[in-house]
């Protein structure tokens, strides 16, 4: 099997090129698609290669472009909407939550909104509270809406393709902090999104680390440091956060009996709490040897200043510290 090395951004571009080359019903609509920035170089030259009737650079109206894409999906197209800042995608929430997510349910499965909404997290870089949010937990709450958060270049490419071909409404979230990560990737094989879910990306025996998107990469860094200190961590990359499949997480926790969930969102009603609750519901009460830990953002909007950002966003060192505390405590002794 021939492999090639791609960055995360290049892998997304590769996924777009595959879809546009092989499926004439696919088109892309959103802001900045013809700009020199090309959405972080993840869409470079697609307008010239496939034409501006399939790569549509829209006016600034999140509501209008999302509604147009949902409507087109009901007419047989497979549109991809690009929202370069997740924060402003909130303006299109009605189209995503009230329309696309519910259409198949309301009409007895006779009509499907086969639309993929690509939304980008832009945290850090002194962008402030209105340009930095990771709102995946909001949308993972919605039945009928699949939510995908790739952490690696190969998943960024393959899960984009799987999302568009799934026939379901999908929110595909990528984090700009991942764009320069590089990986050897295999040739494209079309995957069924319905069978994709959490995956063990590193085996270990002392503690289970669960992450998604950029948080998974921080877990990888932390596990390497912890190994040098004699702590063996197993890492679960969630990949798809709605619907959330627990099988891999349960199997891992049954082995390590310790759980640390790392999430780039807030704690309240968040993804990390959902995973811990699911483990408590689905396993024996005596399974965990230590109280599970969740590492999330502070309960506050993101700051704008660089020095404050450095304390607001957790890093791999924070995961290392949390795991060291976790492996040294018994149930009930650890509190946050």
């Amino acid at each position: 099997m021939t492999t090639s090395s791609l960055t995360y951004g290049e892998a997304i571009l590769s996924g777009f090129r595959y879809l546009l080359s092989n499926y004439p019903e696919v088109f892309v609509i959103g802001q900045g698609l013809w700009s020199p920035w090309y959405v972080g170089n993840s869409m470079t030259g697609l307008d010239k290669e496939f034409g501006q009737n399939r790569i549509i650079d829209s006016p600034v109206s999140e509501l209008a472009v999302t509604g147009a894409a949902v409507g087109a999906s009901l007419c047989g197209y497979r549109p991809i909407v690009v929202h370069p800042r997740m924060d402003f995608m909130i303006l299109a929430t009605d189209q995503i939550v009230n329309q696309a997510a519910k259409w198949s349910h309301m009409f007895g499965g006779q009509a499907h909104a086969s639309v993929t909404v690509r939304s980008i997290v832009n945290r850090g870089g002194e962008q402030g509270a209105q340009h930095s949010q990771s709102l995946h937990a909001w949308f993972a709450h919605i039945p009928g809406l699949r939510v995908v958060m790739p952490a690696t270049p190969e998943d960024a490419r393959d899960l984009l393709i799987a999302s568009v071909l799934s026939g379901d409404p999908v929110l595909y979230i990528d984090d700009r902090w991942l764009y320069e990560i590089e990986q050897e990737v295999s040739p494209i094989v079309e995957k069924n999104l319905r069978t994709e879910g959490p995956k063990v990306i590193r085996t270990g025996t002392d503690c289970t680390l669960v992450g998604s998107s950029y948080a998974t990469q921080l877990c990888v860094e932390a596990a390497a440091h912890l190994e040098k200190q004699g702590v063996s961590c197993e890492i679960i990359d969630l990949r798809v956060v709605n619907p959330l499949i627990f099988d891999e997480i349960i199997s891992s926790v049954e082995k390590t009996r310790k759980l640390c969930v790392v999430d780039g969102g807030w704690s309240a009603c968040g993804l990390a709490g959902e995973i811990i609750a699911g483990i408590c519901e689905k396993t024996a009460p005596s399974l965990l040897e230590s109280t599970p830990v969740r590492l999330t953002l502070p309960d506050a909007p993101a700051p704008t200043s660089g020095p404050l950002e450095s304390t607001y966003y957790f890093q791999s060192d924070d995961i290392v510290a949390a795991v060291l505390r976790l492996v040294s405590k018994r149930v009930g002794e650890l509190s946050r």
Side-chain angles (χ1 to χ4, degrees):
M1 179 181 294
T2 303
T3 62
S4 58
S5 181
L6 294 177
T7 66
Y8 190 96
E10 291 169 341
I12 293 175
L13 177 62
S14 173
F16 274 120
R17 182 170 288 118
Y18 178 85
L19 288 162
L20 290 159
S21 298
N22 292 284
Y23 294 91
E25 66 271 32
V26 172
F27 71 90
V28 191
I29 185 169
Q31 299 165 33
L33 307 193
W34 303 343
S35 75
W37 173 59
Y38 276 125
V39 193
N41 293 327
S42 65
M43 303 188 68
T44 302
L46 292 178
D47 55 327
K48 297 177 175 61
E49 188 174 351
F50 295 98
Q52 295 186 349
N53 62 332
R54 295 186 71 194
I55 310 297
I56 304 170
D57 197 340
S58 72
V60 181
S61 178
E62 288 80 5
L63 186 155
V65 298
T66 307
V70 172
S73 74
L74 297 171
C75 296
Y77 291 93
R78 291 184 185 269
I80 307 168
V81 188
V82 178
H83 291 293
R85 293 187 185 279
M86 189 176 203
D87 314 75
F88 305 122
M89 190 185 73
I90 296 171
L91 292 164
T93 303
D94 181 68
Q95 280 73 15
I96 298 169
V97 173
N98 275 336
Q99 306 303 329
K102 296 178 172 60
W103 209 267
S104 180
H105 176 78
M106 291 193 299
F107 293 97
Q110 298 182 58
H112 301 277
S114 304
V115 59
T116 299
V117 179
R118 178 191 175 196
S119 182
I120 303 168
V121 178
N122 300 275
R123 68 183 197 146
E126 300 182 334
Q127 296 185 65
Q130 296 173 324
H131 299 72
S132 308
Q133 299 165 94
S134 188
L135 302 173
H136 50 278
W138 281 22
F139 293 96
H141 182 66
I142 305 300
L145 180 66
R146 297 185 185 276
V147 180
V148 173
M149 298 180 71
T152 65
E154 185 160 301
D155 272 351
R157 181 197 65 187
D158 292 350
L159 293 183
L160 174 63
I161 295 170
S163 297
V164 175
L165 300 183
S166 71
D168 294 324
V170 180
L171 176 59
Y172 171 99
I173 303 172
D174 54 279
D175 188 316
R176 199 177 293 179
W177 283 19
L178 291 167
Y179 282 11
E180 300 307 317
I181 290 175
E182 195 166 348
Q183 179 190 29
E184 290 289 325
V185 300
S186 303
I188 292 173
V189 175
E190 292 184 5
K191 297 179 177 176
N192 183 347
L193 187 61
R194 297 187 179 209
T195 61
E196 297 297 318
K199 181 185 290 185
V200 177
I201 62 170
R202 179 189 176 111
T203 58
T205 56
D206 296 328
C207 180
T208 297
L209 285 173
V210 177
S212 61
S213 190
Y214 185 67
T216 295
Q217 293 296 338
L218 292 178
C219 289
V220 171
E221 293 177 19
H225 289 292
L226 286 161
E227 185 177 34
K228 296 174 183 175
Q229 300 184 52
V231 179
S232 170
C233 289
E234 185 149 292
I235 300 175
I236 308 288
D237 178 19
L238 291 175
R239 304 171 73 239
V240 178
V241 300
N242 192 41
L244 187 56
I245 301 171
F246 275 87
D247 296 357
E248 296 288 354
I249 309 171
I250 292 171
S251 296
S252 179
V253 173
E254 286 175 341
K255 179 170 60 174
T256 67
R257 306 187 71 177
K258 298 180 183 64
L259 174 63
C260 177
V261 187
V262 185
D263 182 38
W266 293 296
S267 285
C269 301
L271 179 61
E274 178 65 25
I275 292 167
I276 292 172
I279 290 296
C280 292
E281 288 175 342
K282 299 173 190 296
T283 61
S286 59
L287 176 66
L288 292 171
E289 290 181 342
S290 300
T291 305
V293 169
R294 53 181 163 170
L295 190 57
T296 62
L297 298 180
D299 186 20
T304 300
S305 80
L308 288 177
E309 280 186 335
S310 65
T311 62
Y312 182 80
Y313 293 111
F314 57 80
Q315 301 297 331
S316 59
D317 290 348
D318 298 302
I319 302 174
V320 170
V323 171
L324 290 176
R325 291 168 47 224
L326 179 60
V327 298
S328 66
K329 299 288 184 180
R330 296 193 302 270
V331 171
E333 291 184 347
L334 191 67
S335 61
R336 283 178 55 82

